[in-house]
């Protein structure tokens, strides 16, 4: 916590002015460090115990084993997970009285905690999960504060009189960080008595009920089990009890095989809906929970796993030949709309326009020297990307109002050193190119180059989409997705960046832009659920445009651990926007420079939210792998950033 550093710095300044020998100074400093460490440890202890109590109150799990060592109780639950409760000791923190009322709501010092006027539930209600508040002490070390969004924002804790709740003891006798008065095993129950509760909490200890889903060996990504539409997947479960119940959401089929009584193991089979049309409205996002339950007498054990139905296509080419339709960015691709597809099963280069399917694992190249109106390149197997080395710049034209298409799906696209240019450009005046779409691609522009650069004022792209993709950059001063000359003032209708990762392989990009066109305009710009790693912006901002009336920017993560050289901005707009969506965007940074939503500090429209600076790393407890380009937030930040299949 930052205020601990402030305390230490102030203490060192005072000690420097005092006249005492160095041994006394060292003792005082050591004592102060011990007090600071103790204070921080006790606050952390409170938050850990809050999490544990919430899990126990939620139910759905019984305790199978209790182990106590030096006041810390390790509880093994029936799904195989463990939680810890620590009783605490005499200390410097005065723990507030915390309890859960009969309505399942958190109470502190006799007052129901509320968020925006709504009581905060410890125990979830149907369709709504409970919340675990997080506590800290104010920077001066005096009062308690509470957060309901994992530390993004804080507010003072107040008692029944509306007074701030003190975090330090008063009078003699010290204070205590003890969260609960007693904890013990009584018969078949683990009994906890909170210091603020008159009645104890009893949780059953049932050794004869087990329910645990073993992590699937295939298709398990980012904590979600991905299963192809209409396909069945299996995994092992450990289960023991009198009654076994397995359920899935509407459209899914779930079953459990016979149980091996010697090992308590069985097979869980899950079948996804046949296609997206069979999903109910409630599960329209394809993602939901499969639940397995077992019981002994009145005690139940429950195990859950998140599942998601996805498209798994062994061969897009075979689907195309059979008369099927492949939809990319809303464009339907079939034998009627785009004829005479070519299947590439070796390293044969692409040299002219057309529709191409590249065999899984194959690397081919683009060596064309002419112009292109329609070029569609698809990696054949939906689960394995094919590769395209761009050795010659892809030069798009649209001589008439016909619908020009440059579409790539499931492709690793690399601008080679031979290219020494942007991956593609557009060479027709006064007629915007209709569609540029990248879906499930990995894009690596040539060193020092952008994805697209246009300097002619009469040229633009009408619809530009990058979705479900990864954009990689070397360390460089400037790297842009769309880069326009300073005088270019054309209009772009739709510019969409959704569910992508933009990252620097090592070091940082000092000036990164999704759209750099200070005199150009965008009718609508969508930036949703993207992850940006060490992609800084300077004053050019991530989107620099003369006008942007409609915005949808939400659920993005901006992350940097570099020293920084400039303030960073997401939007820089010449004329005010009229509005739409600008919410739930977070930044985690080690740099001292400012990150803001809009250049100049003024939000783009009424109701828009500023970037939220978070103090805890959103990838702690998740995955952060620069070498592999895998960035998975922890469960607390799961709604933010990209989730790429």
């Amino acid at each position: 916590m930052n205020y601990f550093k402030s305390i230490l710095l102030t203490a060192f300044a005072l000690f420097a002015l005092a006249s005492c020998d160095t041994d006394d100074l060292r003792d005082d400093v050591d004592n102060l460090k011990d007090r600071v460490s103790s204070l921080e440890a006790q606050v952390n202890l409170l938050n850990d115990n809050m999490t544990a109590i919430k899990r126990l109150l939620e139910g759905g799990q019984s305790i199978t084993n209790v182990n106590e060592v030096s006041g810390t109780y390790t509880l093994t639950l029936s799904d195989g997970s463990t939680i810890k409760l620590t009783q605490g000791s005499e200390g410097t923190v005065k723990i507030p009285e915390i309890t859960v009322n009969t309505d399942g709501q958190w109470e502190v010092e006799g007052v129901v905690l509320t968020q925006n006027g709504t009581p905060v539930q410890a125990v979830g209600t149907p369709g709504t999960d409970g919340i675990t508040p997080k506590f800290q002490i104010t920077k001066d070390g005096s009062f308690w504060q509470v957060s309901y969004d994992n530390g993004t924002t804080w507010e003072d804790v107040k008692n029944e009189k509306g007074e701030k709740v003190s975090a330090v003891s008063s009078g003699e006798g010290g204070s205590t960080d003890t969260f609960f008065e007693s904890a013990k095993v009584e018969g078949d129950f683990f009994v906890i008595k909170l210091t603020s509760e008159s009645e104890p909490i009893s949780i059953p200890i049932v050794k004869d009920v087990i329910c645990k889903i073993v992590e699937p060996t295939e298709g398990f990504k980012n904590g979600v089990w991905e299963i192809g539409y209409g396909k069945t997947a299996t995994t092992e479960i450990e289960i023991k009890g009198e009654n076994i119940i397995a359920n899935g959401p509407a459209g899914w089929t779930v079953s459990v095989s016979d149980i091996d009584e010697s090992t308590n193991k069985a097979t869980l089979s899950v079948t996804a809906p046949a296609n997206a049309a069979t999903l109910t409205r409630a599960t329209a996002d394809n993602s939901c929970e499969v639940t397995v339950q077992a019981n002994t007498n009145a005690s139940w054990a429950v195990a859950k796993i998140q599942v998601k139905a996805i498209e798994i296509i062994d061969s897009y080419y075979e689907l195309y030949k059979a008369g099927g339709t492949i939809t990319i960015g809303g464009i339907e691709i079939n034998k009627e709309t785009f004829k005479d597809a070519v299947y590439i099963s070796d390293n044969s280069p692409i040299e002219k326009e057309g529709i191409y399917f590249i065999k899984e694992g194959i690397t081919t190249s683009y060596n064309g020297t002419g112009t292109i109106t329609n070029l569609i390149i698809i990696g054949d197997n939906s689960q394995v990307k094919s590769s395209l080395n761009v050795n010659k710049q892809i030069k798009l034209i649209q001589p008439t109002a016909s619908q020009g298409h440059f579409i790539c799906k499931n492709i690793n696209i690399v601008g080679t050193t031979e290219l020494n240019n942007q991956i593609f450009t557009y060479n027709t005046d006064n007629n915007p190119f209709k569609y540029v779409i990248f879906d499930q691609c990995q894009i690596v522009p040539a060193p020092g180059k952008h994805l697209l650069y246009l300097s002619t004022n009469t040229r633009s792209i009408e619809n530009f989409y990058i979705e479900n993709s990864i954009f990689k950059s070397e360390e460089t001063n400037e790297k842009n997705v769309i880069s326009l000359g300073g005088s270019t003032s054309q209009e772009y209708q739709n510019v969409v960046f959704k569910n992508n990762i933009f990252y620097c392989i090592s070091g940082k990009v000092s000036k990164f832009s999704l759209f750099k066109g200070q005199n150009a305009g965008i009718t609508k710009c969508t930036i949703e659920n993207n992850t940006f790693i060490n992609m800084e912006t300077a004053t050019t901002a991530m989107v620099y445009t003369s006008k942007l009336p409609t915005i949808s920017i939400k659920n993005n993560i901006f992350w940097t651990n570099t020293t920084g050289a400039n303030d960073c901005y997401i939007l820089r707009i010449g004329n005010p926007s009229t509005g739409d969506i600008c919410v739930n965007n977070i930044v985690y940074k080690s740099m001292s420079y400012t990150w803001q939503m809009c250049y100049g500090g003024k939000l783009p429209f009424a109701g828009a939210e500023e970037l939220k600076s978070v103090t805890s790393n959103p990838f702690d407890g998740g995955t952060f792998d620069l070498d592999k380009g895998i960035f998975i937030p922890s469960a607390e930040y799961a709604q933010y950033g990209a989730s790429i299949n």
Side-chain angles (χ1 to χ4, degrees):
M1 297 180 183
N2 291 333
Y3 61 85
F4 293 130
K5 297 177 182 177
S6 299
I7 292 171
L8 283 173
L9 289 172
T10 303
F12 285 134
L14 292 172
F15 289 146
L17 295 173
S19 69
C20 56
D21 62 41
T22 56
D23 289 339
D24 289 341
L25 174 60
R26 187 176 296 108
D27 289 343
D28 287 341
V29 171
D30 289 342
N31 288 337
L32 181 58
K33 286 181 179 179
D34 289 343
R35 289 178 60 199
V36 169
S37 297
S38 175
L39 181 64
E40 193 164 30
Q42 290 173 76
V43 175
N44 289 338
L45 180 63
L46 169 62
N47 288 321
D48 290 344
N49 280 339
M50 289 283 289
T51 300
I53 289 294
K54 178 179 177 293
R55 283 201 64 187
L56 292 174
L57 289 174
E58 284 175 332
Q61 297 296 336
S62 57
I63 298 173
T64 61
N65 189 59
V66 178
N67 185 43
E68 185 270 333
V69 177
S70 301
T72 295
Y73 294 82
T74 300
L75 312 179
T76 303
L77 304 183
S78 52
D79 66 350
S81 63
T82 60
I83 56 175
K84 290 186 178 182
L85 282 168
T86 302
Q87 187 157 1
S89 58
E90 293 298 313
T92 55
V93 175
K94 180 184 177 184
I95 295 294
E97 290 188 357
I98 301 173
T99 186
V100 178
N101 64 23
T102 55
D103 294 323
Q105 301 160 348
W106 288 109
E107 286 188 1
V108 177
E109 296 288 312
V111 177
V112 175
L113 288 179
T114 60
Q115 183 182 21
N116 300 323
T118 302
V120 178
Q121 293 289 145
V123 182
T125 57
T128 304
D129 292 333
I131 294 176
T132 306
K134 188 173 184 178
F135 289 89
Q136 73 170 16
I137 297 174
T138 53
K139 292 184 178 181
D140 62 3
S142 299
F143 299 100
W144 284 104
Q145 291 185 320
V146 63
S147 172
Y148 306 113
D149 53 15
N150 197 45
T152 300
T153 58
W154 297 88
E155 60 186 67
D156 292 324
V157 177
K158 295 183 179 180
N159 60 21
E160 291 177 304
K161 298 179 181 179
E163 302 167 334
K164 292 189 289 187
V165 175
S166 176
V168 295
S169 60
S170 59
E172 299 180 356
S175 59
T176 177
D177 67 345
T178 302
F179 186 75
F180 51 91
E181 183 178 303
S182 63
K184 57 186 175 181
V185 175
E186 290 186 354
D188 293 331
F189 291 89
F190 180 63
V191 182
I192 308 166
K193 188 175 185 302
L194 302 180
T195 55
S196 52
E197 281 280 3
S198 59
E199 296 295 327
I201 301 170
S202 298
I203 302 100
I205 302 173
V206 185
K207 299 183 182 296
D208 293 329
V209 60
I210 303 170
C211 191
K212 178 182 179 181
I213 299 175
V214 178
E215 183 177 301
T217 56
E218 295 183 359
F220 194 71
K221 301 177 182 179
N222 305 347
V224 178
W225 193 7
E226 296 179 346
I227 303 172
Y229 285 113
K231 296 184 180 293
T232 299
T234 63
T235 192
E236 184 179 88
I237 59 173
E238 297 179 21
I239 193 161
K240 183 180 181 181
E242 296 174 358
N243 297 294
I244 310 299
I245 300 174
N247 289 309
W252 294 73
T253 302
V254 182
S255 62
V256 175
S257 70
D258 292 337
I259 303 169
D260 184 330
E261 295 184 0
S262 63
T263 62
N264 296 319
K265 292 182 178 180
T267 299
L268 173 67
S269 298
V270 180
T271 303
N275 52 61
T278 63
L279 293 170
T280 66
R281 190 171 189 177
T283 60
D285 64 351
N286 305 354
S287 180
C288 34
E289 281 184 341
V290 163
T291 303
V292 181
Q293 304 176 71
N295 83 308
T296 296
N297 298 322
S299 299
W300 284 90
V302 180
K304 300 178 180 180
I305 188 168
Q306 287 286 119
V307 294
K308 182 177 184 179
I310 64 169
E311 179 186 66
I312 295 180
I313 303 295
D314 296 330
S315 175
Y316 284 114
Y317 182 59
E318 293 299 326
L319 176 63
Y320 170 89
K321 287 199 305 179
T325 294
I326 305 161
T327 303
I328 307 173
I331 304 300
E332 293 187 348
I333 297 169
N334 53 48
K335 290 194 298 184
E336 300 300 319
T337 56
F338 298 94
K339 300 178 180 180
D340 304 322
V342 176
Y343 184 72
I344 298 176
S345 59
D346 53 20
N347 302 116
S348 299
I350 297 172
E351 297 182 330
K352 60 182 181 179
E353 67 177 47
I355 175 170
Y356 297 87
F357 294 87
I358 304 175
K359 183 180 179 180
E360 62 188 80
I362 291 294
T363 298
T364 187
S365 59
Y366 179 82
N367 294 334
T369 56
T371 53
I372 297 293
T373 299
N374 290 294
L375 178 61
I376 299 172
I377 306 172
I378 300 173
D380 192 42
N381 187 313
S382 67
Q383 301 302 295
V384 182
K385 285 183 174 61
S386 305
S387 297
L388 177 73
N389 289 332
V390 182
N391 298 326
K392 302 293 182 181
Q393 188 177 49
I394 300 170
K395 298 177 180 178
L396 306 177
I397 63 167
Q398 187 171 292
T400 67
S402 62
Q403 294 195 353
H405 299 81
F406 176 35
I407 300 175
C408 295
K409 181 179 178 67
N410 197 36
I411 298 288
N412 290 320
I413 305 167
V414 178
T416 66
T417 53
E418 181 181 338
L419 171 65
N420 193 30
N421 210 329
Q422 279 61 242
I423 285 177
F424 77 101
T425 190
Y426 178 50
N427 292 332
T428 302
D429 295 333
N430 303 314
N431 196 17
F433 193 80
K434 196 70 175 180
Y435 292 101
V436 173
I437 303 171
F438 299 92
D439 182 28
Q440 290 180 282
C441 292
Q442 179 170 276
I443 305 168
V444 186
K449 303 298 177 180
H450 314 301
L451 177 60
L452 166 67
Y453 175 75
L454 294 176
S455 60
T456 303
N457 190 42
T458 56
R459 300 173 184 174
S460 66
I461 310 296
E462 186 171 328
N463 300 285
F464 182 93
Y465 298 82
I466 297 182
E467 298 182 328
N468 313 308
S469 296
I470 296 173
F471 184 96
K472 293 172 61 176
S473 175
E474 78 285 3
E475 183 174 15
T476 185
N477 179 56
E478 183 175 357
K479 181 75 69 172
N480 304 321
V481 177
I482 298 176
S483 188
L484 307 179
S487 62
T488 302
S489 59
Q490 287 292 89
E491 186 86 5
Y492 289 69
Q493 293 298 314
N494 293 297
V495 178
V496 176
F497 303 97
K498 188 179 292 186
N499 195 40
N500 305 296
I501 295 171
F502 300 87
Y503 80 104
C504 187
I505 300 168
S506 63
K508 67 176 180 179
V509 176
S510 300
K511 298 177 182 178
F512 172 72
S513 290
L514 296 170
F515 184 95
K516 182 185 177 184
Q518 58 266 41
N519 291 310
I522 306 174
T523 301
K524 181 175 181 179
C525 184
T526 300
I527 307 172
E528 297 178 359
N529 283 99
N530 300 286
T531 298
F532 300 88
I533 305 295
N534 287 335
M535 307 294 265
E536 299 173 11
T537 73
T539 57
T540 50
M542 284 199 178
V543 175
Y544 190 5
T545 177
S546 65
K547 58 179 180 178
L548 179 54
T550 306
I551 301 168
S552 180
I553 175 169
K554 62 181 181 180
N555 298 341
N556 299 288
I557 294 177
F558 304 93
W559 188 101
T560 179
N561 67 348
T562 69
T563 56
N566 297 284
D567 290 344
C568 296
Y569 305 93
I570 311 307
L571 304 173
R572 183 170 180 175
I573 307 169
N575 296 308
S577 294
T578 54
D580 203 351
I581 299 171
C582 183
V583 296
N584 297 334
N585 299 285
I586 62 173
V587 58
Y588 174 83
K589 61 188 179 73
S590 58
M591 62 188 292
S592 60
Y593 290 86
T594 299
W595 282 70
Q596 288 183 307
M597 179 57 66
C598 213
Y599 178 77
K602 184 178 180 180
L603 290 170
F605 54 85
E609 293 181 358
E610 185 55 86
L611 281 172
K612 297 178 182 178
S613 183
V614 297
T615 56
S616 58
N617 188 339
F619 297 102
D620 284 349
T623 301
F624 188 93
D625 192 328
L626 271 173
D627 292 334
K628 296 180 180 179
I630 300 174
F631 308 99
I632 304 170
S634 63
E636 292 83 355
Y637 294 96
Q639 66 174 310
Y640 299 98
S643 175
I644 297 176
N645 296 334

